[in-house]
Amino acid sequence: MIELKLLVLPGDGVGVEVIPAAVDVLEACAKKYSVSLQIHQDLVGGASIRAHGVSLPDSVLERAKGSDAVLLGCVGGAEWEGEPPSRRPERALLALRKELGLFANLRPVYAWPALEDSSPLKPSVIKGVDILFFRELTGGIYFAQPKERNNDRAVDTELYTRGEIERIARLAFQAARRRRGKLTSVDKSNILETSKLWRDVVTDVHKQYADVALDHRLVDSFAMQLMTTPASFDVVLTNNMFGDILTDEAAVIAGSLGMLPSASLGNGRALYEPVHGTAPDITGRGIANPIASIACIGMLFEHTLNLPAAAANVQQAIGSALRAGYRTADLQPTGKPASTQEMTDAILKALQAGR
Ligand code: IPM
Ligand code: MG
């Protein structure tokens, strides 16, 4: 029997509504595929600041390091706006990524056939979209020093090393090889030195993956092509900042930010989290879309447990609930209005029925 030691951190806002839904699906799926679960749940982000005065207590970080994987909801909230960086919920997320060495953030963007009408883009544009973003997650402007701020001047630093670019490029090329054999690297090499290095390093790494078709795009024109010809992309590789922005943009293709899961990997560790945030406008109403978090369970079965059949089962179950017409508020006005619980139940039912 495979064992999974999982740390569950629902966090703030809708995190406490969608993560329990994902845990229900995990438990059902674990039973089916003979995985024994050891789950520990804790506070993170704003919830942890409220209880302990810090967004990520050392004990939680240590437990994350000792777990096979972390399942995280989302962090943040109006309560902490204007607080110094050290007292912001987001700090917990950045610290987890950095301390666990999770340098590769995988964000799949898939146009579910049942949701073709939920996107503001034309069905003819999004038909067949299946993109896997590789966002570099522990470098670049999010982390590099110096960072400075006074009343009249602020500094952030964009910095990348060859090694940081190489290791994520290799993972992206390997993924492209398993998929449709295309990799698009996105940078701003007409202006930024970091991007010139990025382009050179990706071109060098490509020599070991010559069977993959590589193409380089500038981020501004790529942002446009992502909306006009998204089906032409397979694996997209980019830095931390561009990846943050482009994956929110790509959510338009999936119909809602509530649809996108992510896996952050590196050094044998893994953290799974929905791409969406805390959604304060709908928090506490039981209507948040649980699909991004449930799809994270699929990614966990694939990447941490190496059980692709179970991952496919989760994916099929989501597809079947969508085909049956279930729609949370973010996906309406078409279909049957569904609460978080109703959507989860529909997916659980499909999961039991699936192979
Ligand atoms: C994301 C989020 C985070 C980021 C925030 C909450 C720090 O937007 O995961 O995309 O910018 O990385
Ligand atoms: Mg983001």
Side-chain angles (χ1 to χ4, degrees), residues 109-110 131 133 226-227 245-255 260:
V109 177
Y110 181 63
I131 304 175
F133 278 88
L226 187 56
M227 295 293 99
I245 299 166
L246 293 173
T247 53
D248 266 33
E249 186 193 356
V252 172
I253 297 164
L260 299 198

Side-chain angles (χ1 to χ4, degrees), residues 188-317:
K188 184 73 185 170
S189 61
N190 51 344
I191 298 292
L192 302 176
E193 292 305 320
T194 42
S195 278
K196 288 175 193 156
L197 178 68
W198 184 279
R199 198 173 275 222
D200 286 352
V201 174
V202 173
T203 304
D204 285 347
V205 175
H206 183 217
K207 292 177 188 138
Q208 285 136 44
Y209 301 90
D211 51 313
V212 173
L214 167 65
D215 118 72
H216 299 278
R217 301 286 164 93
L218 296 173
V219 62
D220 47 355
S221 80
F222 176 82
M224 186 195 69
Q225 289 160 4
L226 187 56
M227 295 293 99
T228 53
T229 56
S232 66
F233 302 112
D234 178 9
V235 174
V236 175
L237 167 65
T238 193
N239 72 16
N240 203 343
M241 185 80 261
F242 298 157
D244 178 47
I245 299 166
L246 293 173
T247 53
D248 266 33
E249 186 193 356
V252 172
I253 297 164
S256 161
L257 201 47
M259 296 298 297
L260 299 198
S262 85
S264 303
L265 309 174
N267 303 321
R269 296 211 167 98
L271 180 147
Y272 299 89
E273 60 175 316
V275 172
H276 65 72
T278 52
D281 50 328
I282 59 161
T283 294
R285 291 166 55 195
I287 60 168
N289 187 348
I291 292 180
S293 294
I294 291 171
C296 285
I297 301 302
M299 295 191 86
L300 183 152
F301 274 102
E302 185 177 342
H303 297 283
T304 295
L305 294 169
N306 202 12
L307 287 172
N313 197 177
V314 173
Q315 193 78 351
Q316 279 162 7

Side-chain angles (χ1 to χ4, degrees), residues 75 90 93-94 97 105 107 135 137 142 240 244 247-248 273-275:
V75 292
E90 291 83 357
L93 191 52
L94 298 185
R97 289 170 179 174
N105 184 218
R107 297 186 162 183
R135 169 190 176 194
L137 202 61
Y142 274 64
N240 203 343
D244 178 47
T247 53
D248 266 33
E273 60 175 316
V275 172

